[in-house]
């Protein structure tokens, strides 16, 4: 099997960054199903570098990957002496979630899986199959490079490059930066300086970093003292055999309606969708204070913009949903979303300890068990705000489909927002013990109905429990 | 800081926060919301971060955040805090 060599200066052992620690803890909670966190990307080589022979492609891919030290990350047990990481051991050497540190090795060889497709028309689906195959197993964090590479060939030339990435090495934004660099490398060009992930650890361990984290931890602690113990509190059914179901609402109407409301209420599409999610969560039975963990990119500083690294962490979004009309939630949700984004960068160990203390004080586990991840790169589409008539006309194009269920997800409800052309895809992952399939589907469709209705007139929140299939228990 | 200097500086920060999607002139001219120019949530957070670093203030997100709507309202908010 061909390989790609990823080379660069080695780095001394260092603690995990706050973002890495957050993912490592989540991996620990999710293992052995931790391939759930793997990231995938597919690149179609630009026409200008085609036909592209595999050897040239692998050479250029190696150049692009070598720019980013994070792709030479190895996870080693905490306290391992420099350069003394156990070599060639299996996954048991660093059990997911255990006490670890990281090293940047000088060289990592990445095996490249190659498949052939009959023609360009089938290369896309071959790439999808290949990248899903590469991402279907968890990474061996102690011995394996955090990137897997595949090529789809048509007539012996490279038609697609696929990557599966370990979330400990990068978050979604970092993966997109890597894809951009890969594209430039295939054209024989070089992207902007990638930045040094080592500075992240230095900043986080500085006095200013500690102060910042302490302030954020205080905010979470205060909020957790007043929150309901969890969202989706009511067990409603025996879980399905594969317990977490995944549904995908793809809706041009939702995209247009959210844009119209964002413009009208001077907020963002993201914030409108967060408000709608909170309203639906309350309607399920959480009371009038909804809590949603939001994934925060933490790339606000220009020095971090082009960094391939795991910087994203969870922020805490809370919203008082006791208003009568959905429109009344939108300005408060804007303020709360900004606060949530600012609450998403902290020492995860310190936060975990503080929140465990709150749970102990209250005598019950406090955790929202509900998260929201807006993975889009742009928010409000350019141009005039969509009209109510445009939103109504788009309604016919709404599609809801089920994707493959997951055996273990550490949450009762997760929303993932992506853009699909002018449409928004609002993907829901639900624990079928608390959100049986029909209720999960009703959640997504009810959310669309709520946002769409608010464009043309009142959207009473009191109507939501019935739309979920029954009164809040 | 004089009116034009503060407003002009802030418009430059908006342009940076939007990675060029919004020009300083557009930011200065927008009467309702920088979001209408396409400034994203990430853009607003970059702007908050940049303003805090540049002027050494901590922007309060606990109450009404309407001061973030336009260059004029943001400048007025900063002046109240002695910038």
């Amino acid at each position: 099997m061909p390989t790609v060599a990823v080379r660069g200066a080695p780095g001394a052992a260092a603690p995990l960054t706050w973002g890495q620690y957050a993912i490592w803890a989540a991996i620990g909670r999710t293992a052995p199903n931790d391939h759930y966190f793997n990231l995938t990307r597919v690149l179609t080589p630009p026409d200008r570098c085609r036909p592209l022979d595999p050897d040239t492609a692998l050479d250029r891919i190696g150049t692009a990957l070598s720019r980013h030290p994070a792709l030479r990350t190895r996870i080693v047990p905490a306290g391992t002496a420099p350069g003394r990481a156990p070599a060639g051991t299996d996954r048991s050497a660093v059990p997911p979630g255990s006490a670890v540190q990281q090293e940047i090795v000088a060289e990592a060889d990445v095996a490249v899986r190659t498949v052939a497709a009959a023609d360009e028309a089938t290369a896309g689906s071959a790439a999808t199959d290949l990248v899903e195959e590469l991402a279907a197993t968890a990474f061996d964090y102690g011995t394996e490079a955090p990137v897997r590479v595949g090529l789809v060939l048509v007539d012996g030339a490279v038609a697609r490059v696929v990557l599966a990435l370990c979330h400990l090495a990068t978050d979604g934004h970092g993966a997109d930066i890597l894809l951009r660099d890969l594209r430039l490398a295939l054209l024989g060009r070089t992207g902007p300086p990638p930045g040094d992930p080592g500075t992240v650890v230095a900043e986080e361990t500085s006095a200013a970093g500690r102060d910042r984290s302490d302030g954020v931890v205080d905010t979470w602690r205060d909020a957790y003292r007043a929150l309901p113990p969890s969202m989706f509190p009511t067990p409603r059914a025996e879980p399905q055999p594969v317990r977490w179901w995944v549904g995908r609402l793809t809706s041009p109407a939702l995209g247009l309606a959210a844009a119209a409301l964002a413009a009208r209420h001077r907020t963002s599409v993201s914030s409108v969708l967060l408000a709608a999610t909170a309203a639906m969560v309350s309607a399920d039975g959480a009371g009038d204070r909804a809590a949603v963990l939001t994934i925060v990119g933490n790339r606000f500083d220009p020095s971090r913009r082009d960094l391939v690294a795991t910087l994203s962490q969870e922020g805490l979004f809370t919203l008082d949903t006791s208003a009568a009309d959905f429109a009344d939630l939108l300005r408060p949700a804007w303020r709360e979303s900004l606060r949530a984004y600012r609450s998403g960068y902290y020492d995860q160990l310190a936060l975990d300890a503080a929140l465990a203390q709150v749970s102990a004080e209250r005598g019950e586990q406090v955790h929202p068990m509900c998260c929201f991840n807006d993975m889009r790169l742009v928010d409000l589409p350019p141009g005039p705000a969509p009209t109510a008539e445009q939103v109504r006309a788009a309604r016919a194009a709404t599609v809801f489909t089920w994707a493959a269920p997951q055996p273990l997800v550490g949450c009762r409800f997760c929303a993932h927002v992506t853009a699909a052309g002018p449409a928004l895809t609002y993907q829901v992952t639900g624990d079928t013990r608390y959100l049986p399939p029909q209720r999960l589907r009703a959640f997504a469709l009810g959310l669309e109905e709520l946002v769409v209705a608010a464009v043309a007139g009142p959207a009473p929140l009191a109507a939501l429990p019935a739309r979920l299939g029954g009164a809040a228990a | 800081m004089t009116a034009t200097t503060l407003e002009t500086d802030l418009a430059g920060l908006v342009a940076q926060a939007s990675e060029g999607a919004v020009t300083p002139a557009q930011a200065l001219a927008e009467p309702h919301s920088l979001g209408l120019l396409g400034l994203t949530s990430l853009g607003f957070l970059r702007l908050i971060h940049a303003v805090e670093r540049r002027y050494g203030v901590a922007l309060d997100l606990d109450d009404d955040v309407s001061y973030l709507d336009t260059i004029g309202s943001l400048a007025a908010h900063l002046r109240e805090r002695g910038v």
Side-chain angles (χ1 to χ4, degrees):
Chain A
M1 191 180 282
T3 60
V4 164
V6 188
R7 296 195 183 92
L16 300 188
T17 63
W18 294 345
Q20 282 178 307
Y21 182 84
I23 286 293
W24 184 238
I27 284 171
R29 288 193 296 272
T30 311
N33 194 38
D34 42 323
H35 69 277
Y36 175 78
F37 293 102
N38 292 347
L39 304 167
T40 59
R41 292 294 184 271
V42 174
L43 176 69
T44 302
D47 287 344
R48 274 174 290 157
C49 65
R50 297 172 82 168
L52 180 62
D53 72 85
D55 287 343
T56 304
L58 291 180
D59 188 47
R60 292 178 178 175
I61 291 167
T63 301
L65 300 185
S66 294
R67 299 184 77 223
H68 300 283
L71 300 178
R72 290 177 281 114
T73 302
R74 290 289 162 86
I75 303 300
V76 298
T80 303
R84 301 295 296 272
T89 49
D90 64 14
R91 190 170 148 85
S92 63
V94 283
S98 62
V100 296
Q101 60 193 22
Q102 62 175 320
E103 291 182 351
I104 306 292
V105 298
E107 179 163 346
D109 282 323
V110 178
V112 178
R113 177 109 163 73
T114 303
V115 299
D119 49 35
E120 185 65 29
T122 55
S125 61
T128 304
D129 291 345
L130 178 58
V131 82
E132 284 180 6
E133 178 194 321
L134 290 180
T137 51
F139 277 84
D140 193 333
Y141 307 106
T143 59
E144 187 183 358
V147 55
R148 295 173 183 155
V149 178
L151 299 178
V152 177
L153 306 183
V154 173
D155 296 332
V158 177
R160 299 289 185 281
V161 179
V162 308
L163 300 177
L165 293 150
C166 174
H167 207 331
L168 277 172
T170 184
D171 54 27
H173 284 285
D176 290 331
I177 288 158
L178 183 62
L179 206 64
R180 179 201 65 190
D181 269 14
L182 203 53
R183 184 175 181 281
L184 287 172
L186 292 180
L187 290 165
R189 292 162 52 195
T190 306
D196 177 8
T199 60
V200 177
V201 173
E203 278 182 41
E204 291 175 354
T205 52
S206 70
R210 307 290 335 159
D211 286 349
R212 182 201 162 97
S213 173
D214 288 349
V216 172
V217 169
D218 285 346
T219 307
W220 282 71
R221 185 191 287 115
D222 292 345
Y224 266 49
R225 284 188 170 133
L227 282 181
S230 82
M231 307 296 111
F232 306 100
T234 312
R236 296 181 187 275
E238 283 299 310
Q240 294 290 320
V242 183
R243 182 162 164 170
W244 278 264
W245 276 43
V246 181
R248 224 166 258 163
L249 176 83
T250 301
S251 166
L254 181 62
L256 292 169
L261 294 178
R264 187 184 301 166
H265 296 274
R266 308 190 313 284
T267 84
S268 66
V269 168
S270 213
S271 167
V272 170
L273 296 174
L274 258 172
T277 302
M280 297 303 291
V281 169
S282 287
D284 177 78
D288 57 12
R289 184 131 203 105
V292 182
L293 299 177
T294 57
I295 309 302
V296 183
N298 287 321
R299 292 175 182 270
F300 311 129
D301 193 280
S303 68
R304 295 188 169 190
R305 204 186 55 183
D306 291 309
L307 210 51
V308 173
T310 303
L311 299 171
S312 59
Q313 286 185 263
E314 287 173 337
L316 177 61
F317 173 84
T318 63
L319 189 65
D320 181 340
T321 55
S322 57
D325 189 77
F326 179 56
D328 296 331
L329 300 183
L330 293 173
R331 283 300 286 180
W334 171 232
R335 177 190 68 224
E336 294 302 330
S337 71
L338 292 175
R339 293 187 70 198
Y341 288 122
R342 200 148 69 166
S343 74
Y345 192 47
Y346 46 80
D347 178 348
Q348 185 77 45
L349 271 169
L351 181 72
D352 290 349
L355 299 186
Q357 190 192 348
V358 174
S359 291
E361 284 166 17
R362 291 180 54 170
E364 58 188 346
Q365 180 68 31
V366 183
H367 193 291
M369 302 298 285
C370 171
C371 69
F372 176 94
N373 190 359
D374 184 352
M375 302 192 290
R376 295 168 309 137
L377 295 176
V378 294
D379 192 84
L380 205 57
T387 63
E389 184 49 44
Q390 287 174 308
V391 172
R392 213 175 3 254
R395 221 38 212 292
T398 297
V399 177
F400 182 91
T401 55
W402 292 110
Q406 295 281 342
L408 179 61
V409 178
C411 213
R412 289 181 190 164
F413 173 83
C414 314
H416 289 88
V417 179
T418 48
L424 282 183
T425 296
Y426 186 88
Q427 177 179 298
V428 289
T429 301
D431 181 343
T432 53
R433 178 158 173 69
Y434 302 90
L435 282 158
Q438 285 315 307
R439 197 173 179 86
L440 187 60
R441 182 173 179 274
F443 187 109
L445 291 169
L447 177 135
E448 182 202 37
E449 172 66 31
L450 176 68
V451 177
V452 165
V455 176
L461 297 173
L464 298 184
R467 276 194 211 139
L468 276 174
Chain B
M1 194 173 287
T2 63
T4 50
T5 310
L6 180 57
E7 271 84 350
T8 307
D9 283 0
L10 291 174
L13 294 183
V14 169
Q16 285 171 22
S18 72
E19 302 199 314
V22 179
T23 66
Q26 286 174 318
L28 279 168
E30 171 55 44
H32 301 298
S33 169
L34 295 168
L36 294 176
L37 297 173
L39 192 65
T40 62
S41 297
L42 174 62
F44 272 100
L45 264 294
R46 282 189 187 132
L47 176 64
I48 291 167
H49 184 80
V51 166
E52 290 183 335
R53 282 178 86 122
R54 171 80 61 93
Y55 302 108
V57 294
L59 292 179
D60 184 2
L61 301 179
D62 289 345
D63 295 310
D64 184 15
V65 291
S66 297
Y67 65 83
L68 291 167
D69 285 348
T70 65
I71 293 294
S73 59
L74 180 54
H77 185 80
L78 291 175
R79 284 203 185 87
E80 285 171 17
R81 274 144 196 83
V83 172

